[in-house]
Amino acid sequence: MAKVIVRQLLLALDFLHQNNVVHADVQPGNILFSVDLDSVPEEHLRQDYQSKDDPLFERLYGNNVRSKPVKRRDGKLDQWAPSHLLYDRPLTSYVRLTPKPTVKLSDLGAAFPLSDPLKKTVTPGGLRAPELIFGLPFDQTIDIWSLACLAFGFLAGTPLFAVGGYRGDRQSMNDDHLLTMTAKLGDLPDSLFAKWTRADRYFGPNRKLMNSMLTTSWQNDEKGEAKVLDEPSMETFFHEKKSEEMSDQEERSFINMLRQMLQYDPSKRPSASKLLQHPWLATADQ
């Protein structure tokens, strides 16, 4: 199923990128699964605020929860307000959980044309490409990076870069992200490392990692001892987390695709169109 989802998301990105549009917010909350409503009676879905005989609604929300007419508190009429507000209704039970689901990439609220690039995006912390972390110019390849992170999570059951929870401390979040990125993917290129303003907290001479504790600096340690957390590479991490049903050959093919998508240099990341030809996706329709 994960392979089918990745392929369909690549098809969506290929369409956007071919039309010079960057999505800029490829994340789980913007992936929609199709629901099968053709065989569901309309009365099971309709939320009739005038009816008192809606068993499904009562089961979900109780007897006392009813949609009420919208009125202004000051009593004035508002011709633009809706007549009633309806409660959200979960459709989880109607999702087609099949080996070949139909998914859509939604929410173009953060999207932009390449001819009019944004200065920053709303991309979730752990899905940001390096150029977003450093505030560098970016293009459609940020979508490729984000999708690679999602694909890893789909198959490993855990994020590739678990970043977040810093309550506005963006510098610490960035440091955490970059340290994890270095451990999982390898050293940053010199051009990016030079832009990491707090790198000297963590790296000593010759860029040797001396400390991976965000609240301290190895230079302030009286004993000069390194405080380094042992983090596995992406390959090792995935091998530990993947399903036992995945063969070694498929694992190598999948990691090969991720390595191409997670290039530090955006110009070296393959396009969505090219990725659709990757051997790992060859069986996505079978």
Side-chain angles (χ1 to χ4, degrees):
M1 181 185 294
K3 187 179 295 188
V4 175
I5 294 173
V6 171
R7 184 179 183 277
Q8 292 188 29
L9 292 176
L10 278 171
L11 286 170
L13 290 179
D14 184 38
F15 175 81
L16 290 175
H17 296 172
Q18 292 281 2
N19 288 278
N20 298 315
V21 175
V22 183
H23 188 279
D25 194 18
V26 180
Q27 55 148 308
N30 290 335
I31 301 174
L32 304 182
F33 284 76
S34 64
V35 294
D36 183 7
L37 301 180
D38 294 339
S39 59
V40 182
E42 183 180 341
E43 58 269 20
H44 287 186
L45 300 173
R46 185 179 64 245
Q47 193 177 128
D48 190 349
Y49 59 87
Q50 294 179 337
S51 173
K52 296 182 180 181
D53 300 315
D54 188 349
L56 180 60
F57 185 78
E58 291 183 359
R59 190 176 78 236
L60 292 172
Y61 299 105
N63 295 326
N64 299 322
V65 181
R66 293 291 177 186
S67 174
K68 297 181 179 180
V70 175
K71 296 181 180 180
R72 286 178 51 140
R73 291 185 177 181
D74 58 10
K76 296 180 180 180
L77 295 177
D78 188 343
Q79 61 176 328
W80 305 111
S83 61
H84 288 75
L85 292 179
L86 303 182
Y87 296 91
D88 61 317
R89 294 282 293 271
L91 297 175
T92 307
S93 58
Y94 302 111
V95 174
R96 297 172 180 172
L97 294 178
T98 68
K100 296 182 179 181
T102 299
V103 300
K104 304 290 184 180
L105 182 60
S106 68
D107 192 353
L108 295 176
F112 63 91
L114 280 172
S115 59
D116 187 19
L118 301 177
K119 293 183 178 179
K120 60 181 180 179
T121 71
V122 295
T123 309
L127 303 178
R128 296 173 302 164
E131 55 268 32
L132 295 180
I133 299 175
F134 289 111
L136 301 173
F138 53 88
D139 56 20
Q140 73 277 7
T141 58
I142 63 173
D143 291 339
I144 300 300
W145 181 284
S146 294
L147 181 55
C149 296
L150 289 182
F152 181 96
F154 292 159
L155 286 161
T158 189
L160 177 58
F161 307 118
V163 180
Y166 289 98
R167 297 184 180 181
D169 185 0
R170 180 164 288 272
Q171 283 190 315
S172 292
M173 181 177 72
N174 290 344
D175 288 351
D176 187 11
H177 198 171
L178 293 169
L179 285 168
T180 306
M181 194 179 290
T182 299
K184 294 286 194 302
L185 303 179
D187 293 341
L188 293 170
D190 292 342
S191 59
L192 289 179
F193 189 83
K195 297 181 182 298
W196 190 353
T197 57
R198 303 206 303 184
D200 58 355
R201 286 190 174 198
Y202 313 105
F203 295 87
N206 300 320
R207 290 181 54 176
K208 179 181 179 181
L209 181 62
M210 301 293 291
N211 169 43
S212 54
M213 309 298 288
L214 296 178
T215 58
T216 62
S217 171
W218 71 275
Q219 295 172 327
N220 297 332
D221 192 309
E222 295 181 357
K223 298 181 180 180
E225 296 179 351
K227 299 178 180 178
V228 178
L229 299 178
D230 186 20
E231 283 201 65
S233 66
M234 179 176 67
E235 286 78 1
T236 301
F237 190 41
F238 183 77
H239 185 75
E240 294 173 349
K241 299 293 184 180
K242 74 176 182 70
S243 169
E244 294 181 356
E245 297 177 358
M246 176 180 275
S247 68
D248 292 342
Q249 180 179 355
E250 183 174 6
E251 179 183 351
R252 288 191 296 270
S253 181
F254 176 65
I255 291 297
N256 174 271
M257 186 181 76
L258 291 190
R259 277 290 176 183
Q260 293 181 42
M261 300 170 74
L262 295 170
Q263 299 253 25
Y264 286 131
D265 184 348
S267 66
K268 294 182 179 180
R269 295 172 203 154
S271 65
S273 178
K274 185 175 181 179
L275 285 166
L276 285 166
Q277 308 304 316
H278 193 278
W280 185 72
L281 292 169
T283 59
D285 287 332
Q286 298 179 4

